[in-house]
Amino acid sequence: MTVFDLYNKPDDRNVLDRTEQGIIGQPLDRPEGKLKVAGAATYAAEYPIDGCAEGFFVLSAIPQGKVRSIDAASVEGLPGVLGVFTDERMLRRPAQGQAGAAPQQDPATIEYFAQPIALVVAETFEQARAAAEALKVEYEPSDRPIPYDPESAAAKVEVPSDDKRVDAGDLDQAMKDAAYSVDVVYRTPGHASAAMEPHASIATWHNGHLTLYGSFQMLADNVRELADSLNIAPRKVRIVAPYVGGGFGSKLGISHDAVGAAIAARELGRPVRVNMTRQQVFQGIERRSETRQRVRLACDGNGRLIGFGHEALVSNLPNEDQAEPVTQASHFLYAGENRRIKVDVARISRLTAGSVRAPGEAVGMQVLEAAMDELAEQAGIEPIEFRKRNIPDTVPADGTPYSSRMLATALDRGAEAFGWDQRKPEPCQTRDGDWWIGMGVASAARVNMIVTAEARVTLRGDGSVLVESDQTDIGTGSYAVLGQIAGEMLGLPIAQVEVRLGDSELPPGAGSGGSFGASSTGSAVFRACETIREKLAGMLDCSPDELRLKDGMATCANRHVALADLLAGEEIVAKGRIRRGKTALDYNQASYGAFFAEVAVHVWTGEVRVRRMTGAFGFGRVLNAKTARSQCLGGMVWGIGSALTEELSFDLRTGRLANHDLADYHVPVQADVPALEVILLDEERDPAASPLQAKGVGELGICGAAGAIANAVYNACGVRVRDFPLTVDKIIGELPVPD
């Protein structure tokens, strides 16, 4: 039996507050955690497939043009070489994980530097790599190249296909009439996902059916994308991805490795593994777009916003729909009746711009929050009070009501825990030896959504339970959370719950992306469990509301029976399904929080060190306190990187990515990350968000974090940097002369 749920009405029954097992919200360990830390979890490239050949990509040596010829004969005699593949079905861009969107194929058309153009397959990885490096390729450079710089006058600027711009009132006049205003331009660089596990695929064929062992986030979509690329029916494709070593958006869609491995394996009649190198992933998968953001804010004498402008320029390849949604939170976060919000996209020659953790808010919020501090200083209003004063009652542009919103609470609770009252309002007021000390604050916001998801729950005859979905776990805790939902609903200790994920032959879950996995697939598990509870209640001749389930025992009226005895060896199977419904339109839904940072800035060199950070976050019901806290911690670390170290550096003469590995693309390491405090605000449920009354948390921890650090740097030394990251070269020349 399948329960279908078009989520049209908020579920305010508070079911999970009335169940009795007591494991929802608890900081339970991830059941697969021991396998991962012991090296026993099998990742994409590690499956022991007999007779597996190895593939290695050849990358283009020019940024734009055509492949004139590839001399396969130049390497076919090298040791171990099995073939050179240049099939037009191979990808020139990775897919973007959008259902129904066909991947961009034909690698002979070169759109960016280091685009994969051919796959060399050999008996060993080393042989394939040597042959790929020796392969002779002739090119025909483009006679009409497009720019590499998005701010070049020659760059074609377009309106994105999913344009959500707002132009309400008269912002220009509001800026003139304002008691206080700021009109500033900030820039953020491109970012890489830099997931720990590089992209890899193993392809095997049997009787015309493909099994692909890969590293992906959205298996149902990925099956369709792969089938479309190969021109076969989706029913002939199976993807297996039970463990994914991070994705952060880079594995939402299929990439070059999957299609290349599948084509080569079919032609060779044997399995083929393609394990992309770190440099190939950096250069060929996707990036977060750099941004240029103009922020205009205007307030009256009481510090009330009367004008709000946020305009962004991002970039992508021609004919690519994805445009970094920089202003996503700006639509609903703060007041201001005169509004101008828009995003434009410049068409340039760089690798594909796509989704990187918290697309939109990650870079939009850090800029907005820095600008909010600039206006608060002008108006002479304490930064937290200024933000709280401008929290609107409804969405400014259209009057849509909010669901739950804990922004003010997060600001207050975070400030108290952090010791914000010790902050000096003027820069250069606190010194510790050769270091200026400062504090900064920023709001956090990330849109919430549920997407279509299914799950199957089986209450076995022995009283244990099995949860099944193709939902992936990319390190976020899907195994733990889905198990807790089922255990709580069916009254079972977590040890009696088995969770199977990451196989496209299982019911299609939401996948991992957009912070929607737990609430969407979790809601499908919840609905399936409700069906099972109804059947159990019927077996005991009582209503579902009267049924009590705990520790494998069912109680109703005067009956108290073990589930195993009640089932008598028979199993109950139910499917649950959730779909986005009217609640998504009737309410503005988002998760909220606040960041607090203390930094030290060296008085002579301008070096910045983050000394401590606090984050307070409200996202409805907490499903697992440990995994939620870990997501927030990870997001805050990303915020440190965005503020201080991370930047994709492109050569504007060729579009070549200069820092294409972890040696030169600087993610924060242990020495960069101080003590981080996370406060989970679990008081307010959100029935409009999902039947679980939970919202997304996976990306919230990054959204605005870098803004708090930038504000702290200014508070420390009086230097306002509007070009992220805040490296010493941008600070040292502006430092005040120390006493």
Side-chain angles (χ1 to χ4, degrees):
M1 177 179 179
T2 302
V3 176
F4 295 94
D5 188 356
L6 188 65
Y7 199 53
N8 286 327
K9 181 180 179 183
D11 190 336
D12 56 6
R13 296 173 298 152
N14 301 315
V15 172
L16 290 173
D17 289 329
R18 294 185 282 109
T19 51
E20 299 183 345
Q21 192 60 35
I23 58 175
I24 278 292
Q26 294 302 308
L28 301 188
D29 291 341
R30 287 156 51 173
E32 84 288 4
K34 291 182 179 179
L35 295 175
K36 290 179 175 178
V37 299
T42 305
Y43 288 88
E46 299 175 335
Y47 284 87
I49 307 294
D50 291 339
C52 192
E54 306 288 341
F56 196 93
F57 278 114
V58 179
L59 308 183
S60 66
I62 66 170
Q64 300 178 61
K66 293 276 189 181
V67 174
R68 181 179 295 164
S69 66
I70 293 178
D71 184 6
S74 64
V75 299
E76 286 174 346
L78 294 180
V81 172
L82 300 171
V84 178
F85 297 89
T86 58
D87 195 296
E88 65 180 11
R89 293 172 295 170
M90 291 167 60
L91 303 188
R92 66 176 186 265
R93 310 177 187 176
Q96 292 295 301
Q98 299 166 337
Q104 297 282 342
Q105 296 175 275
D106 183 15
T109 299
I110 299 171
E111 297 182 308
Y112 55 92
F113 194 95
Q115 174 186 307
I117 57 174
L119 180 70
V120 178
V121 179
E123 295 288 353
T124 70
F125 177 85
E126 292 77 11
Q127 291 170 337
R129 180 178 59 190
E133 292 171 350
L135 186 68
K136 295 180 180 179
V137 181
E138 291 187 355
Y139 300 95
E140 181 181 328
S142 174
D143 59 357
R144 300 181 66 184
I146 63 174
Y148 307 107
D149 182 357
E151 297 194 38
S152 163
K156 183 180 180 181
V157 177
E158 298 177 346
V159 176
S161 60
D162 60 345
D163 181 42
K164 295 182 176 64
R165 63 190 58 207
V166 171
D167 200 342
D170 190 337
L171 178 60
D172 295 331
Q173 189 62 45
M175 293 290 290
K176 294 176 183 177
D177 295 342
Y180 308 100
S181 64
V182 295
D183 184 349
V184 289
V185 174
Y186 280 77
R187 288 175 172 83
T188 64
H191 295 147
S193 294
M196 185 177 294
E197 179 195 20
H199 289 57
S201 294
I202 299 175
T204 66
W205 290 86
H206 182 69
N207 293 333
H209 288 254
L210 170 66
T211 298
L212 190 93
Y213 302 90
S215 188
F216 301 102
Q217 296 178 225
M218 310 279 290
L219 296 195
D221 287 348
N222 302 145
V223 164
R224 291 191 289 269
E225 293 163 350
L226 188 52
D228 180 71
S229 298
L230 300 173
N231 196 26
I232 62 175
R235 62 182 174 80
K236 294 185 176 182
V237 176
R238 178 191 180 194
I239 295 179
V240 179
Y243 306 112
V244 179
F248 308 116
S250 69
K251 298 171 183 174
L252 288 172
I254 61 164
S255 49
H256 314 84
D257 54 295
V259 179
I263 290 171
R266 189 165 202 178
E267 188 163 330
L268 293 173
R270 60 185 288 189
V272 171
R273 173 178 20 240
V274 177
N275 195 2
M276 296 182 73
T277 67
R278 182 71 63 188
Q279 292 81 1
Q280 290 174 341
V281 171
F282 262 85
Q283 294 178 103
I285 296 301
E286 66 178 23
R287 62 185 169 91
R288 188 199 303 281
S289 173
E290 73 297 315
T291 74
R292 184 191 70 202
Q293 302 180 47
R294 183 187 183 190
V295 180
R296 287 183 285 174
L297 302 173
C299 70
D300 61 21
N302 295 317
R304 308 283 182 181
L305 284 171
I306 60 172
F308 186 102
H310 195 176
E311 301 166 81
L313 176 70
V314 302
S315 73
N316 213 333
L317 288 163
N319 303 313
E320 188 65 67
D321 285 341
Q322 181 87 2
E324 183 79 16
V326 175
T327 60
Q328 197 155 241
S330 297
H331 289 273
F332 61 82
L333 189 60
Y334 294 123
E337 60 270 27
N338 300 288
R339 305 177 76 81
R340 184 171 301 158
I341 300 172
K342 70 170 186 173
V343 175
D344 291 320
V345 57
R347 300 303 181 182
I348 62 172
S349 172
R350 293 185 186 178
L351 72 144
T352 307
S355 295
V356 177
R357 191 175 190 179
E361 291 96 332
V363 286
M365 284 288 295
Q366 71 188 58
V367 166
L368 174 59
E369 289 303 299
M372 284 289 286
D373 252 40
E374 292 199 53
L375 185 56
E377 182 183 44
Q378 276 202 29
I381 301 173
E382 190 276 328
I384 293 177
E385 172 57 28
F386 184 67
R387 286 167 171 81
K388 290 168 59 179
R389 199 171 291 186
N390 286 290
I391 297 175
D393 295 327
T394 60
V395 175
D398 58 20
T400 302
Y402 297 95
S403 55
S404 72
R405 187 174 40 155
M406 298 194 74
L407 177 54
T409 303
L411 288 164
D412 290 340
R413 290 274 295 277
E416 181 181 5
F418 185 74
W420 181 255
D421 59 346
Q422 300 301 306
R423 172 185 176 269
K424 302 294 195 305
E426 298 296 327
C428 303
Q429 297 299 303
T430 304
R431 179 95 171 257
D432 183 1
D434 284 341
W435 300 86
W436 294 114
I437 308 301
M439 296 182 183
V441 65
S443 298
R446 172 66 175 153
V447 293
N448 178 74
M449 65 195 90
I450 57 172
V451 299
T452 300
E454 292 184 21
R456 179 169 58 235
V457 178
T458 302
L459 183 59
R460 294 162 167 156
D462 62 1
S464 65
V465 68
L466 171 65
V467 178
E468 296 175 292
S469 173
D470 80 352
Q471 173 71 30
T472 50
D473 190 323
I474 61 174
T476 48
S478 301
Y479 282 101
V481 169
L482 298 182
Q484 283 173 262
I485 295 168
E488 184 66 37
M489 289 292 291
L490 299 179
L492 293 168
I494 200 66
Q496 291 182 249
V497 180
E498 178 185 358
V499 180
R500 294 179 186 169
L501 303 177
D503 187 330
S504 65
E505 291 192 337
L506 299 175
S512 297
S515 300
F516 50 61
S519 58
S520 299
T521 306
S523 292
V525 172
F526 175 85
R527 290 302 196 215
C529 289
E530 284 197 303
T531 300
I532 293 175
R533 287 178 65 96
E534 291 172 1
K535 291 192 174 185
L536 292 173
M539 295 168 71
L540 291 169
D541 294 323
C542 68
S543 71
D545 288 340
E546 296 174 299
L547 179 66
R548 297 292 178 265
L549 298 173
K550 185 177 182 181
D551 294 332
M553 302 295 294
T555 302
C556 190
N558 294 323
R559 294 191 64 183
H560 187 65
V561 59
L563 285 175
D565 294 337
L566 182 64
L567 294 166
E570 298 294 323
E571 64 181 27
I572 302 176
V573 181
K575 277 187 180 180
R577 188 172 191 255
I578 190 78
R579 289 188 294 161
R580 179 179 183 268
K582 286 185 61 181
T583 56
L585 303 175
D586 293 344
Y587 300 90
N588 180 274
Q589 300 175 27
S591 300
Y592 293 92
F595 300 101
F596 298 83
E598 180 181 282
V599 306
V601 181
H602 199 276
V603 298
W604 300 109
T605 68
E607 176 189 353
V608 178
R609 294 182 182 176
V610 180
R611 295 181 17 142
R612 60 191 180 98
M613 285 187 75
T614 293
F617 305 102
F619 43 90
R621 186 187 301 278
V622 176
L623 300 176
N624 180 311
K626 180 178 289 187
T627 59
R629 179 177 180 272
S630 293
Q631 289 299 293
C632 295
L633 287 172
M636 292 165 72
V637 172
W638 274 66
I640 294 172
S642 186
L644 301 180
T645 64
E646 295 190 45
E647 177 178 15
L648 290 176
S649 297
F650 289 90
D651 185 334
L652 296 183
R653 298 166 300 176
T654 64
R656 181 173 187 168
L657 178 61
N659 56 336
H660 47 64
D661 55 33
L662 292 174
D664 293 317
Y665 181 83
H666 296 149
V667 299
V669 296
Q670 285 89 334
D672 301 311
V673 181
L676 304 179
E677 178 185 22
V678 171
I679 301 168
L680 303 181
L681 306 173
D682 192 25
E683 295 90 347
E684 187 173 355
R685 312 293 193 233
D686 193 337
S690 70
L692 301 172
Q693 302 178 333
K695 294 187 281 193
V697 64
E699 296 162 307
L700 179 62
I702 187 178
C703 301
I709 295 170
N711 291 334
V713 168
Y714 176 78
N715 181 246
C717 67
V719 179
R720 175 66 71 181
V721 179
R722 299 193 182 97
D723 184 7
F724 289 92
L726 282 62
T727 48
V728 294
D729 56 301
K730 300 170 186 174
I731 296 174
I732 189 170
E734 304 297 324
L735 284 171
V737 178
D739 296 333

